[in-house]
Amino acid sequence: MHRLSLTLMAALATAVLPVHARPQQSVPPRLDRMATTMVDAGVAPALVAVVVDHGHVSIHGYGKLPDGRAPDADTVFELGSLSKTFTALLLARELEQGKASLDTPVGQWLPGWSIPSLHGKAITLGLLAEQYSGLPRVPGNLAPPAPTDPYADYGADKLKRFLAGYTLPREPGAHYEYSNLGFGLLGYALARHASLGYGALLQRDVLQPLGMPHTGVTAPTKGARLAPGHGPDGAPAPAWHWRDALAGAGAMLSDGHDMAIYLQASMGTKSTPLAAAIRLAQQPRRDAGPLGRIGLAWMTTPSADGDVVWHNGATGGYSSFIGFNARHQYGVVLLANGYASDLLTGVGLASLSSALPMPPLQVLPEATLEQYVGRYVLAPGMVFTVSRRGRQLYAQLTGQPALPVFASASDRFSYTAVQAALDFQRDARGRVVALVLHQNGQSRRAPRTP
């Protein structure tokens, strides 16, 4: 029997551009309904949607913060891997100014470091930004004392040591593989080359020129403005902390106001001194499988309604998305203080192209949810315990945490923390008698037990 696992592997991310206030009904109905449903379903306590439509900006908050207020344009969220687009912009700026090339080996910018290579092919700055380096998603010596803050103690000494002992499984440039390690290394190399810390380099070369005062690896005004994160179990989750070694992969925080500025700059709807570098970063360069093509961090996914250029992000308690459809001059940023990156990404992509389906999500009455509450035997010693807390259903497998599941159809629920779904089965009298777990291409039935 293959061991069943629902364990979460955390992902993980001066020309001021004016924001023109718009009435909140300018958020398109399709996106407005889905954002409302996500909050009502318990996917995240708070969500902010930023919309740019033909140059006009609207920012709308959904849900509530701990003090009872609705989130707004000043509410701060962790960006997670959406940070990679900023690191890519730092690189693109160097390229556009002729200070580096995509073929520059990263080892040239880190003297004294041993960077792995294979068959004479080196890991270059371009391959790091295009996710073709051959490096793994995270370094093998990542062993945080606090799993809820996985990058807090990972410094340059550990990164240097890991790279010196790592053997690449294939040649750099062979194929796409998403790597937080790779982008962290890129950010660190860029900062070292500039003789600055990553955060200081980001402020000098990107955030100040764009006019984004509430964005950075630490948000100086976050305080009470920070929307507290919530983990895959729906419980409060601590903020993540990063050292420079991997900060370029996911350390940034921002608010809706600043992300509206960044979205406009990314779409090219406002003049900015970084326009050429932004276009360079977004240019598709390599195949990224079913996602489409990748440039420098930015993904381009084709659709019948126009190409969608985007990136997403997640930390232990937050999810984020940025994207736009140039054909329709329409862009979206979504920021949520809940771990639901796949769902938020699906919503973001669908909001940018009518050819892409909106993820199914429903809010069911408590009386309906109560029908599923019970114990379901998957195998000897392996029991699903399904419980309810208000309008939220939870499923817990023996020895694992209780994780929320969300209704996507009649008697069908999906996880946001893992790639799995549950179908509940009824008898002829309409009573729930079993559940079927769908995961890793397999379906396994668990009868309900008294």
Side-chain angles (χ1 to χ4, degrees), residues 6 13 51 74 151 175 189 224 319 322 337 360 370 375 390 392 439:
L6 296 180
V51 175
D74 295 324
Y151 297 101
H175 67 74
S319 303
I322 186 172
N337 64 337
E370 188 65 28
R375 290 164 50 85
Q392 183 62 65
Q439 188 181 35

Side-chain angles (χ1 to χ4, degrees), residues 42-319:
V43 174
L47 185 151
V48 167
V50 179
V51 175
V52 174
D53 189 352
H54 289 81
H56 298 292
V57 176
S58 61
I59 303 175
H60 188 43
Y62 300 84
K64 292 182 179 180
L65 298 170
D67 62 4
R69 294 183 300 116
D72 57 23
D74 295 324
T75 304
V76 175
F77 298 80
E78 291 183 357
L79 298 183
S81 287
L82 199 152
S83 307
K84 292 179 173 65
T85 65
F86 290 86
T87 302
L89 184 51
L90 287 172
L91 173 61
R93 186 178 177 277
E94 296 293 293
L95 301 175
E96 192 266 332
Q97 294 181 354
K99 298 179 180 178
S101 79
L102 292 174
D103 296 327
T104 300
V106 67
Q108 288 187 11
W109 284 12
L110 294 172
W113 287 49
S114 177
I115 307 296
S117 62
L118 190 63
H119 301 152
K121 294 190 176 181
I123 296 175
T124 65
L125 301 177
L127 293 177
L128 289 171
E130 296 160 353
Q131 300 285 17
Y132 267 73
S133 67
L135 293 172
R137 188 179 185 93
V138 296
N141 62 344
L142 182 70
T148 55
D149 197 2
Y151 297 101
D153 75 330
Y154 199 88
D157 54 340
K158 292 185 178 181
L159 177 60
K160 183 178 182 180
R161 188 161 58 248
F162 173 78
L163 292 172
Y166 185 71
T167 300
L168 292 172
R170 59 184 176 277
E171 293 180 357
H175 67 74
Y176 172 85
E177 182 180 2
Y178 192 86
S179 175
N180 288 324
L181 165 60
F183 250 92
L185 175 61
L186 176 61
Y188 183 75
L190 285 162
R192 281 285 301 274
H193 187 65
S195 300
L196 291 171
Y198 176 80
L201 176 63
L202 193 67
Q203 288 289 340
R204 187 193 73 180
D205 288 357
V206 173
L207 301 178
Q208 290 180 7
L210 291 180
M212 299 174 64
H214 303 132
T215 302
V217 296
T218 57
T221 59
K222 63 181 185 182
R225 291 158 37 107
L226 178 68
H230 291 77
D233 58 356
W240 279 9
H241 302 86
W242 302 70
R243 298 175 67 180
D244 265 8
L246 297 181
M252 295 179 63
L253 304 94
S254 189
D255 62 14
H257 183 277
D258 276 15
M259 289 307 293
I261 293 172
Y262 187 56
L263 179 57
Q264 289 180 98
S266 299
M267 296 174 65
T269 59
K270 291 291 182 180
S271 176
T272 159
L274 301 181
I278 290 170
R279 289 194 299 271
L280 178 60
Q282 293 172 354
Q283 179 183 342
R285 298 176 180 277
R286 292 179 180 266
D287 179 71
L291 298 175
R293 293 181 63 77
I294 187 170
L296 307 181
W298 288 92
M299 307 301 305
T300 297
T301 297
S303 85
D305 195 34
D307 289 350
V308 176
V309 181
W310 64 280
H311 207 287
N312 62 0
T315 62
Y318 299 84
S319 303

Side-chain angles (χ1 to χ4, degrees), residues 362 364 368-369 371-372 393 406-414 421-427 430-436 438:
Q362 301 178 7
L364 299 180
T368 301
L369 295 177
Q371 298 175 17
Y372 306 112
L393 203 68
F406 302 92
S408 55
S410 178
D411 292 338
R412 185 174 180 85
F413 290 76
S414 299
L422 301 176
D423 279 329
F424 289 91
Q425 297 180 337
R426 298 178 183 268
D427 61 15
R431 297 175 301 185
V432 176
V433 295
L435 68 75
V436 178
H438 304 283

